[in-house]
Amino acid sequence: MAKLKKLEDFRAEIDQCVKCGACRAHCPAFGAEKHEGRVARGKVALADALLKGDVDLEEKFLLDMSQCLLCGSCCAQCPNKVHTEEIVAATRREIAKRKGLSTFGKGVGTILKHQGVMNTLAKAGGAFSKLLFKKIPDQSGLRLRFPAPFIAADRTLPPIAAKPFRERHPEVIPGVAGQPRVLFFTGCGINYMYPDSGEALLKALKFLGVTVLIPQDQVCCGLPAVSAGAADTVESLAADNLAMLRRCEYDYIVTACASCHSGLTQIYPGMGAEFDEFKAKVKDIFVFLVEQGLPEKLAELPKADQPIKVTYHDPCHLRNHGITKEPRAILKALPQVDYVEMENAASCCGLGGTYSVYHYDTSKKIGAKKAASIADSGADLVATDCPGCIMQLQDSINHGGGKQRSVHILDLLADALP
Amino acid sequence: MLDNSTLATLQQLCGKENVLTDKADLICYSYDATQRQFLPDVVVHPATVEEISQIMKLANEKAIPVFPRGAGTGFTGGSVPVSGGIVLGLTRFDKILEIDEDNLVATIEPGVVTEEFQKTVEKVGLFYPPDPASLKVSTMGGNVAECAGGPRCVKYGVTKDYILGLEIVTPTGDILRTGGPTMKGVVGYDLTKLICGSEGTLAIITKIIVKLLPKPAAKKTMLVMFSSIDGAAQAVSDIIRGKIIPTTLEFLDARTLECVRNATDLDVPEAAQAVLLIEVDGDPEFLDKQTGRISDIVQPLGVVETRIAETPAESEALWQIRRSVSASLRRVNPKKYNEDICVPRSKVHDMIRKIDQISEKYNIPIVNFGHAGDGNIHVNIMIDDKIPGEEKKAEEAIADVFKGALELGGTMSGEHGVGIMKAPFINLELKDTVVDYMKTIKRALDPNNILNPGKIFPSDK
Ligand SMILES: Cc1cc2nc3c(=O)[nH]c(=O)nc-3n(C[C@H](O)[C@H](O)[C@H](O)COP(=O)(O)OP(=O)(O)OC[C@H]3O[C@@H](n4cnc5c(N)ncnc54)[C@H](O)[C@@H]3O)c2cc1C
Ligand code: SF4
Ligand code: SF4
């Protein structure tokens, strides 16, 4: 089974940090709490000290290492391309190895590794949705009625799908001969919380005559477990997905979730060469749609009389891979959309896997900045390309008392298509 | 180690959460961009000038050294706690207190980040020119303490040219003001200028009164590639003799261009052996004329290619070559010594020639680029520190570079300061009498040698 790298495997990369401090300008965690332990430079220094035996796993060390959204904003601007997000993830695994996983980490492990547990939980959630959640008056989203472990009482949540997306569809949805055959890696967000975005994706691919494969044996990409430092879980999920990817036949793998995209193109290939052939096939859905000439086709549709003002939020895990133009190209081509660019479109939303679980207050601070940018842009909707971001953006908007809604670009696309 | 009563007093003064003693915290405040590490005993983040005054009084009483720190981006170790003690973090002083549009003056706290200040004044059509490459993170306090400069300084001058007055805490804990918001003022010694560039050894800066300019209406960028460094150097002299002062006159030498070619896919023709990046600013109609004149002036000097940006995107593309340098250099060798000598601008090509000879003598790559317009050359000595003997060679080469700059009437440092990195070399540049004069000032103001000891001057023998 392919293995994640150990902290000591990052020795050379840690030495690449020249302590220039450039990351201070880009790290959302540092922006919210101006402490050097929050920023990449400090975390790399701490990882270095741990490797050298100069520091123990003391409380402050654990706090600093937990204060990272693994967003890679630092690396994107680092002159030496030091992957602090990977170094922190490896440090968390090292912590788990020495001290055992946190309760939350164990929970993540159990749930993610067992597809059946996930489905049962989700179904229970779906059926009891009304019992569990209450509607937030005048705003979009739900809140928990009762306290639950690890979820803040004031966090906005989407409803849980009554029937998970993947269970609604056969493995193959045939398209038109001569068109590509794509595997849809749905991710958990779309499968359990935002199935409508998945339906929207199917509508778009059907419009183009593309054959879609929805393998039932795909599992979570494992990013939440990366964040929790649960190495075994990541490795076992990666192995299951590898088997699934090997079993199926397709031209491309499409994702509509920034985290899944990064799981398939960055985390897995970092574990071993066996993932390389699949990495080459992975495409974010909007990259795929642009390549298939969708913007030109959209341009032929009649324009709406009263377009909606929409802005775009760059999910970190797409921005880091240089995917910024394609989602905007689709949005701008939509007949019902009046696109406006917001300031700080590329700054992190503040979710960051386990970050928002352990540090909901700082997560909210980061989110508040984003909500302010959205409001300043004058947009009614903020569209993006990641279920996690959609949830966090709506939560941030609601905390600020805003009326905007966060949506997947796919939802808007489906509205526009005949 | 600090005794418990000192710690308790610090906690009472600044609040428990602003006094850090855990190992993990100490590690995070032990370094700057020199990558040298020294652990402090405690990190304190005060919020008011009174707190700082009390801290200094306590430190004098207990003989604990105090090291002021901004963003920790210094290139000479100015903020590192070489002898333990207190790191005094100034990031909570992060307010822009006033922008006075009638008098073109702003009052700010030292923890304000340079770029944030620039963006804020630009929103009301004003301009703060000094632009160190670290401006996205460096603090204004750090900029004043190091008298930071940048590309725009050819035309607009360095940090000290914009500082009208300060509020400071003296090394013994007194709070006082120097200068003030007037454009002129000659009553008594110019203490403001003394503090600018004093590297946190004479005072802790707690407020800064800054002079502003109207924001230039437009700017235009051009990039000229030359077949030799002589052509580029001559171009610098001729442009300035032609009575044009560009805002920016950056140069890259042949070795730098080679690094850029190897590390990026930017379009840099083989024939280009030196590059000048030139920017002019002012009224839009004026700019085309200026770039036209510059093109005429440089034409006879072996120009390989001239690119003139017509849009902001094109301008950014031209800057990309300059911005890619830092990362490209790393490919040459893992460890880089980054010096920032400054020579009279007519001597830039003499200096480059000397550096080439030094590079040959020690057989180590030396890559040069920088601010040709003011003769400020970033000399990057690249070694593989895993090879035994390389570090020693690099140090000897550095001394030779400094001597070379001094022979040409230059200085060891144009903008990064002395700190700990250049302290061993200070006697090359400054006569004993000058060093004594400076040390007399330091001793008089800081009799117990509490504030940022071990910096600038080689340790007393
Ligand atoms: C990538 C990079 C590029 C750079 N480019 C340039 C450049 O183009 N031009 C240039 O001039 N420099 C440059 N520098 C050097 C550095 O950024 C500057 O010296 C900057 O002014 C330091 O600011 P800082 O806030 O990081 O200060 P620090 O590094 O924290 O401190 C620098 C010195 O200032 C003192 N200090 C800080 N705050 C105060 C205060 N409030 N009161 C008294 N003393 C104080 C410290 O004790 C120390 O001696 C660069 C550095 C990096 C890493
Ligand atoms: S930007 Fe990169 S090299 Fe610079 S301090 Fe941050 S992690 Fe280190
Ligand atoms: S990954 Fe994100 S949160 Fe973590 S250090 Fe880098 S920029 Fe900061």
Side-chain angles (χ1 to χ4, degrees), chain A residues 159-213:
Chain A
I160 294 174
K163 189 170 186 186
F165 173 79
R166 291 197 295 265
E167 285 186 23
R168 303 172 180 187
H169 296 284
E171 168 137 338
V172 183
I173 305 174
V176 178
Q179 289 300 322
R181 187 180 162 92
V182 308
L183 185 155
F184 179 23
F185 191 85
T186 69
C188 303
I190 285 180
N191 195 38
Y192 297 112
M193 298 193 301
Y194 297 101
D196 291 349
S197 302
E199 302 295 346
L201 178 138
L202 293 183
K203 187 174 176 188
L205 292 181
K206 186 169 177 203
F207 177 74
L208 294 170
V210 171
T211 297
V212 187
L213 221 70

XYZ file of all heavy atoms in Angstrom, chain A residues 159-213:
422
model
N -28.486 21.064 4.426
C -29.226 19.863 4.801
C -28.490 18.623 4.308
O -27.678 18.707 3.396
C -30.556 20.023 4.062
C -30.271 20.955 2.938
C -29.147 21.836 3.381
N -28.757 17.495 4.919
C -28.135 16.258 4.452
C -29.067 15.599 3.436
O -30.280 15.556 3.639
C -27.851 15.315 5.630
C -26.789 15.970 6.523
C -27.384 13.959 5.161
C -26.508 15.221 7.795
N -28.479 15.105 2.347
C -29.296 14.532 1.276
C -30.077 13.321 1.786
O -29.517 12.466 2.477
C -28.393 14.109 0.123
N -31.352 13.262 1.445
C -32.159 12.118 1.866
C -31.608 10.847 1.251
O -31.558 9.794 1.869
C -33.616 12.319 1.464
N -31.169 10.948 -0.006
C -30.539 9.797 -0.662
C -29.218 10.286 -1.246
O -29.221 11.227 -2.048
C -31.458 9.294 -1.767
C -31.008 7.995 -2.370
C -32.084 7.430 -3.296
C -31.684 6.044 -3.775
N -32.621 5.543 -4.775
N -28.090 9.687 -0.842
C -26.801 10.163 -1.360
C -26.779 10.149 -2.886
O -27.409 9.286 -3.513
C -25.794 9.165 -0.790
C -26.466 8.563 0.400
C -27.930 8.579 0.094
N -26.054 11.094 -3.456
C -26.025 11.277 -4.910
C -25.680 9.993 -5.663
O -26.352 9.618 -6.620
C -25.011 12.383 -5.253
C -24.767 12.550 -6.714
C -25.673 13.253 -7.511
C -23.648 11.988 -7.327
C -25.460 13.403 -8.870
C -23.432 12.138 -8.691
C -24.333 12.843 -9.460
N -24.647 9.317 -5.210
C -24.168 8.171 -5.988
C -25.196 7.040 -6.034
O -25.251 6.285 -6.993
C -22.842 7.652 -5.422
C -21.692 8.614 -5.646
C -20.340 7.940 -5.470
N -20.068 7.472 -4.136
C -19.391 8.161 -3.209
N -18.939 9.378 -3.483
N -19.164 7.657 -2.029
N -26.020 6.942 -4.987
C -27.005 5.858 -4.960
C -28.166 6.090 -5.920
O -28.978 5.209 -6.154
C -27.555 5.683 -3.544
C -26.560 5.001 -2.634
C -27.157 4.692 -1.265
O -28.389 4.599 -1.152
O -26.361 4.544 -0.319
N -28.240 7.314 -6.427
C -29.380 7.636 -7.298
C -29.125 7.237 -8.744
O -30.023 7.322 -9.571
C -29.622 9.132 -7.313
C -29.852 9.741 -5.965
C -29.861 11.232 -6.167
N -30.083 11.935 -4.923
C -30.265 13.251 -4.871
N -30.248 13.964 -5.987
N -30.447 13.834 -3.726
N -27.851 6.906 -9.056
C -27.523 6.744 -10.471
C -26.864 5.408 -10.770
O -26.188 4.850 -9.908
C -26.584 7.875 -10.903
C -27.231 9.212 -10.803
N -28.144 9.666 -11.715
C -27.114 10.192 -9.868
C -28.567 10.864 -11.360
N -27.948 11.217 -10.234
N -27.070 4.934 -12.002
C -26.359 3.715 -12.406
C -24.877 4.034 -12.592
O -24.498 5.203 -12.638
C -26.994 3.382 -13.760
C -27.471 4.697 -14.291
C -27.870 5.507 -13.086
N -24.059 2.999 -12.697
C -22.621 3.233 -12.828
C -22.278 3.969 -14.120
O -21.376 4.784 -14.140
C -21.868 1.900 -12.744
C -20.407 2.017 -13.152
C -19.445 1.258 -12.243
O -19.800 0.975 -11.088
O -18.335 0.974 -12.702
N -23.013 3.674 -15.191
C -22.699 4.336 -16.463
C -23.919 5.083 -16.980
O -25.013 4.527 -17.054
C -22.256 3.310 -17.536
C -21.861 4.044 -18.831
C -21.101 2.460 -17.041
N -23.722 6.364 -17.336
C -24.783 7.113 -17.997
C -24.281 7.415 -19.401
O -23.404 8.265 -19.566
C -25.109 8.421 -17.244
C -25.452 8.109 -15.788
C -26.235 9.181 -17.937
C -25.658 9.332 -14.917
N -24.784 6.671 -20.392
C -24.180 6.764 -21.721
C -24.432 8.121 -22.371
O -25.472 8.747 -22.154
C -24.865 5.651 -22.508
C -25.971 5.141 -21.666
C -25.919 5.748 -20.330
N -23.463 8.574 -23.158
C -23.597 9.819 -23.903
C -23.637 9.522 -25.389
O -24.132 8.474 -25.800
N -23.103 10.422 -26.181
C -23.128 10.300 -27.629
C -21.803 9.681 -28.096
O -20.757 9.979 -27.528
C -23.295 11.703 -28.264
C -23.278 11.631 -29.778
C -24.569 12.361 -27.749
N -21.889 8.834 -29.121
C -20.672 8.209 -29.634
C -19.680 9.290 -30.083
O -20.082 10.331 -30.605
C -21.010 7.295 -30.803
N -18.421 9.050 -29.865
C -17.400 9.998 -30.303
C -17.045 11.028 -29.235
O -16.023 11.691 -29.328
N -17.914 11.171 -28.233
C -17.603 12.109 -27.138
C -16.791 11.388 -26.061
O -16.861 10.164 -25.951
C -18.903 12.664 -26.538
C -19.656 13.633 -27.439
C -18.825 14.856 -27.792
O -18.083 15.376 -26.973
N -18.907 15.271 -29.049
N -16.040 12.137 -25.250
C -15.217 11.468 -24.229
C -16.041 10.754 -23.163
O -17.246 10.992 -23.017
C -14.411 12.617 -23.613
C -14.996 13.884 -24.103
C -15.832 13.583 -25.290
N -15.352 9.875 -22.440
C -15.968 9.116 -21.364
C -15.275 9.568 -20.086
O -14.055 9.458 -19.966
C -15.668 7.646 -21.667
C -16.326 6.633 -20.795
C -15.872 5.243 -21.295
N -16.101 4.244 -20.275
C -17.223 3.509 -20.184
N -18.164 3.634 -21.084
N -17.363 2.640 -19.209
N -16.037 10.133 -19.155
C -15.383 10.647 -17.946
C -15.888 9.954 -16.695
O -17.049 9.547 -16.611
C -15.569 12.186 -17.762
C -15.160 12.948 -19.006
C -16.986 12.542 -17.356
N -14.964 9.815 -15.755
C -15.316 9.274 -14.449
C -15.567 10.463 -13.535
O -14.726 11.348 -13.418
C -14.156 8.415 -13.936
C -14.363 7.645 -12.632
C -13.428 6.419 -12.623
C -14.110 8.477 -11.387
N -16.739 10.490 -12.901
C -17.054 11.581 -11.983
C -16.661 11.154 -10.574
O -17.269 10.265 -9.986
C -18.548 11.908 -12.078
C -19.003 13.011 -11.145
C -18.117 13.961 -10.633
C -20.351 13.107 -10.784
C -18.539 14.973 -9.779
C -20.794 14.117 -9.928
C -19.872 15.041 -9.412
N -15.594 11.783 -10.048
C -15.194 11.561 -8.661
C -15.988 12.553 -7.831
O -15.655 13.730 -7.781
C -13.676 11.760 -8.511
C -13.153 11.296 -7.186
C -12.803 9.970 -6.979
C -13.018 12.186 -6.134
C -12.333 9.534 -5.748
C -12.550 11.753 -4.891
C -12.202 10.427 -4.700
N -17.056 12.069 -7.204
C -18.047 13.004 -6.635
C -17.563 13.713 -5.383
O -17.903 14.867 -5.152
C -19.340 12.260 -6.246
O -19.054 11.407 -5.132
C -19.869 11.427 -7.395
N -16.784 12.992 -4.558
C -16.429 13.549 -3.262
C -17.614 13.459 -2.312
O -18.760 13.273 -2.730
N -17.336 13.590 -1.012
C -18.385 13.441 0.006
C -19.336 14.626 0.010
O -20.527 14.459 0.254
C -17.759 13.303 1.390
S -16.615 11.930 1.487
N -18.804 15.813 -0.224
C -19.629 17.027 -0.157
C -20.820 16.927 -1.083
O -21.970 17.162 -0.682
N -20.558 16.567 -2.322
C -21.643 16.459 -3.300
C -22.489 15.224 -3.019
O -23.720 15.263 -3.102
C -21.068 16.453 -4.733
C -20.641 17.889 -5.083
C -22.073 15.897 -5.736
C -20.063 18.068 -6.448
N -21.845 14.151 -2.634
C -22.596 12.914 -2.411
C -23.606 13.058 -1.277
O -24.741 12.609 -1.400
C -21.624 11.774 -2.107
C -22.277 10.411 -2.231
O -23.106 10.189 -3.123
N -21.913 9.501 -1.335
N -23.190 13.684 -0.192
C -24.052 13.698 0.996
C -24.757 15.027 1.267
O -25.788 15.048 1.906
C -23.240 13.317 2.240
C -22.682 11.920 2.165
C -21.310 11.714 2.058
C -23.528 10.810 2.184
C -20.788 10.434 1.976
C -23.014 9.526 2.102
C -21.637 9.337 1.995
O -21.142 8.081 1.914
N -24.143 16.143 0.828
C -24.737 17.427 1.226
C -25.273 18.251 0.058
O -26.249 18.960 0.199
C -23.697 18.257 1.991
C -23.254 17.583 3.271
S -22.325 18.695 4.343
C -20.958 19.156 3.313
N -24.578 18.194 -1.055
C -24.985 19.034 -2.184
C -25.260 18.193 -3.433
O -24.649 18.410 -4.477
C -23.900 20.074 -2.498
C -23.649 21.066 -1.380
C -22.565 20.924 -0.528
C -24.499 22.155 -1.198
C -22.334 21.835 0.497
C -24.272 23.076 -0.181
C -23.184 22.911 0.661
O -22.965 23.821 1.650
N -26.162 17.194 -3.334
C -26.393 16.316 -4.492
C -26.903 17.094 -5.705
O -26.656 16.687 -6.838
C -27.445 15.326 -3.974
C -28.099 16.006 -2.833
C -27.065 16.876 -2.210
N -27.584 18.230 -5.476
C -28.101 18.992 -6.616
C -26.970 19.473 -7.517
O -27.137 19.567 -8.736
C -28.915 20.198 -6.135
C -30.224 19.739 -5.468
O -30.543 18.533 -5.584
O -30.889 20.580 -4.842
N -25.817 19.790 -6.901
C -24.669 20.213 -7.718
C -24.197 19.046 -8.576
O -23.764 19.223 -9.713
C -23.525 20.713 -6.840
O -23.979 21.784 -6.031
N -24.295 17.837 -8.024
C -23.937 16.652 -8.799
C -24.889 16.472 -9.976
O -24.470 16.188 -11.108
N -26.193 16.665 -9.700
C -27.185 16.556 -10.781
C -26.894 17.606 -11.859
O -27.019 17.357 -13.054
C -28.609 16.767 -10.238
C -29.036 15.809 -9.121
C -29.122 14.348 -9.565
O -29.118 14.072 -10.787
O -29.163 13.465 -8.673
N -26.492 18.796 -11.390
C -26.193 19.875 -12.328
C -25.023 19.495 -13.228
O -25.025 19.753 -14.438
C -25.876 21.159 -11.564
N -24.039 18.833 -12.630
C -22.892 18.397 -13.418
C -23.331 17.395 -14.483
O -22.921 17.470 -15.646
C -21.833 17.784 -12.489
C -20.580 17.236 -13.158
C -19.343 17.620 -12.366
C -20.624 15.725 -13.328
N -24.208 16.466 -14.083
C -24.685 15.473 -15.052
C -25.421 16.165 -16.206
O -25.273 15.798 -17.371
C -25.622 14.468 -14.372
C -24.958 13.556 -13.333
C -25.975 12.554 -12.778
C -23.762 12.825 -13.927
N -26.196 17.201 -15.868
C -26.945 17.910 -16.903
C -25.984 18.555 -17.914
O -26.195 18.475 -19.130
C -27.828 18.976 -16.249
C -28.779 19.662 -17.205
C -29.727 20.605 -16.473
C -30.610 21.356 -17.476
N -31.400 22.407 -16.832
N -24.928 19.142 -17.382
C -23.955 19.813 -18.258
C -23.246 18.800 -19.155
O -23.050 19.029 -20.353
C -22.933 20.588 -17.424
N -22.887 17.648 -18.579
C -22.172 16.656 -19.371
C -23.109 16.011 -20.401
O -22.706 15.697 -21.518
C -21.546 15.599 -18.464
C -20.397 16.122 -17.584
C -19.811 15.001 -16.745
C -19.307 16.783 -18.421
N -24.373 15.870 -20.009
C -25.363 15.326 -20.950
C -25.532 16.295 -22.134
O -25.602 15.876 -23.296
C -26.698 15.133 -20.224
C -27.742 14.438 -21.062
C -28.942 14.044 -20.231
C -29.979 13.418 -21.158
N -31.323 13.491 -20.612
N -25.582 17.571 -21.826
C -25.702 18.614 -22.843
C -24.589 18.471 -23.888
O -24.792 18.684 -25.085
C -25.625 19.981 -22.147
C -25.655 21.172 -23.062
C -26.847 21.557 -23.679
C -24.502 21.917 -23.311
C -26.876 22.665 -24.511
C -24.532 23.017 -24.155
C -25.725 23.391 -24.756
N -23.414 18.058 -23.434
C -22.280 17.898 -24.351
C -22.197 16.486 -24.923
O -21.312 16.186 -25.719
C -20.969 18.227 -23.626
C -20.803 19.684 -23.184
C -19.587 19.820 -22.263
C -20.654 20.610 -24.389
N -23.079 15.610 -24.488
C -23.067 14.238 -24.996
C -21.962 13.376 -24.419
O -21.575 12.360 -24.997
N -21.446 13.769 -23.272
C -20.334 13.041 -22.657
C -20.867 11.835 -21.873
O -21.878 11.947 -21.191
C -19.560 13.986 -21.715
C -18.542 13.229 -20.883
C -18.902 15.102 -22.515
N -20.188 10.709 -21.975
C -20.553 9.534 -21.181
C -19.974 9.673 -19.773
O -18.808 10.014 -19.611
C -20.000 8.255 -21.829
O -20.627 8.110 -23.103
C -20.271 7.022 -20.966
N -20.833 9.422 -18.766
C -20.386 9.625 -17.383
C -20.378 8.301 -16.619
O -21.324 7.524 -16.698
C -21.305 10.620 -16.643
C -20.717 10.946 -15.271
C -21.494 11.893 -17.446
N -19.307 8.114 -15.879
C -19.140 6.922 -15.053
C -19.218 7.353 -13.599
O -18.508 8.275 -13.197
C -17.720 6.425 -15.322
C -17.471 4.960 -15.454
C -18.103 4.519 -16.772
C -15.969 4.707 -15.489
